[in-house]
Every structure is written in structure tokens, then in C-alpha cells.
Amino acid sequence: MKIRKGGAEDLPAILAILDSAVVWLNDKGITAQWGTESFSGRPKAVEQVERTMSEGDPWIVEIDGVPAGTMTLTPHPGQHIEPAEEPEVYVRLLATDARFHGHGVGAALLAHAADETRRQGVSLLRVDCFAGSEGRLIEYYEKQGFTRTTAFEVGDWPGQVLEQRV
């Protein structure tokens, strides 16, 4: 497993990972998190991914040279979350390609996020996630060392902000 910094040229690979995650979630009956349509098939979603990538640092996990997961680290959250009252690093667009579930891709990316946060001299790492599906995603982040902070809703989408001191 190799983690490398991504760039604009990685947009097709990142969209493919996000598209695979949508299919995987839908196969599990989870349609409220990222919807039922691929990211790459929705122009506004593609624009949002491009914007997020340009605001921060995209990272790619490769397994045997194949993109297996991604995240983008930004110095602020997305539009629906209030920024912290101190410098922060925010995990956005974290996803694993369905072919690589169970390989520790997400955990490796989150550990890398903590390392990058420390490297930047920042002590607060935050992420938001879908709070539906019986809270399984929240539990996943808690197992990775995050604690719950603010619950929120965007329309009918329940969310949870979690943070980790690094």
C-alpha cells in the first residue's frame, strides 16, 4: 500500500473511486449518503470534487499501482459546517474503491491525515459523515480515534462532525 499526493490529473481516478463507493453503498441499501447516481454522471458533483481538490491536498492510496482510496485535506470544512475556532485540517471526500474494502485503506488514509495535520503544526483534525445507517460510519470514525462533536442536518441528510486531537 502506497499513499501519494494527488493532483488535478487524478480527477478521473478520484471520480472512479467515488463512483465505486456509491455502488457499494447502494448495494448495502444505503442510498441517502451519496445518492444513487455516480459522481462522474452529475456535473455539479464533478465541479464540487474539482473545487474541493483545488482547495486542499488530494491524496491517493495505491495497491499494486491501482488507485484504491482517496481523501482531500483542506484547511476548512465544506459549506454546511462551521469552521473551528482554531486552525484545523478537514478530511473531505474520503472513499475506498469497493474492490479494496477490508484492506485497511480508510484507516491508512486517516492515519496519514493525522500525520499531515501534525506536519502542518496543527493539532485539530476534523471530519463530517453521514449519521444514518444505524450510525455505522460514526462508529468507524470512533474506532479510528475520533470523537463526536456537532450533529447537523442538511435537508433530510443527518450528519455528524467528529474530531481528533493529534
Side-chain angles (χ1 to χ4, degrees):
M1 185 179 310
K2 174 186 166 188
I3 300 177
R4 66 171 176 82
K5 192 168 186 177
E9 69 280 1
D10 290 302
L11 177 63
I14 290 170
L15 289 171
I17 291 166
L18 293 166
D19 289 349
S20 174
V22 169
V23 170
W24 184 84
L25 288 165
N26 288 186
D27 286 349
K28 301 270 184 219
I30 303 168
T31 59
Q33 183 171 339
W34 279 349
T36 58
E37 294 181 48
S38 67
F39 274 73
S40 61
R42 294 180 285 144
K44 288 187 184 213
V46 173
E47 289 174 19
Q48 183 245 330
V49 172
E50 288 176 313
R51 186 172 43 257
T52 300
M53 290 173 63
S54 72
E55 292 173 358
D57 295 320
W59 293 91
I60 308 283
V61 168
E62 294 179 339
I63 297 178
D64 297 328
V66 177
T70 186
M71 73 176 170
T72 298
L73 300 178
T74 63
H76 55 79
Q79 64 182 354
H80 300 292
I81 307 298
E82 289 294 320
E85 294 182 5
E86 65 184 276
E88 67 181 307
V89 172
Y90 213 92
V91 177
R92 297 172 65 190
L93 300 174
L94 176 67
T96 300
D97 185 296
R99 297 172 292 173
F100 298 98
H101 278 265
H103 288 83
V105 171
L109 282 166
L110 290 171
H112 185 76
D115 291 343
E116 280 296 307
T117 302
R118 281 189 291 275
R119 187 189 65 71
Q120 292 177 27
V122 177
S123 62
L124 181 62
L125 176 63
R126 294 198 312 156
V127 64
D128 61 77
C129 70
F130 179 63
S133 304
E134 297 85 45
R136 290 182 290 203
L137 190 53
I138 294 169
E139 291 171 4
Y140 173 79
Y141 283 114
E142 289 175 330
K143 287 178 185 174
Q144 305 305 316
F146 287 82
T147 57
R148 298 175 199 208
T149 59
T150 309
F152 66 95
E153 285 193 25
V154 177
D156 61 354
W157 195 90
Q160 179 71 55
V161 177
L162 297 99
E163 69 181 30
Q164 183 180 96
R165 292 284 171 183
V166 296

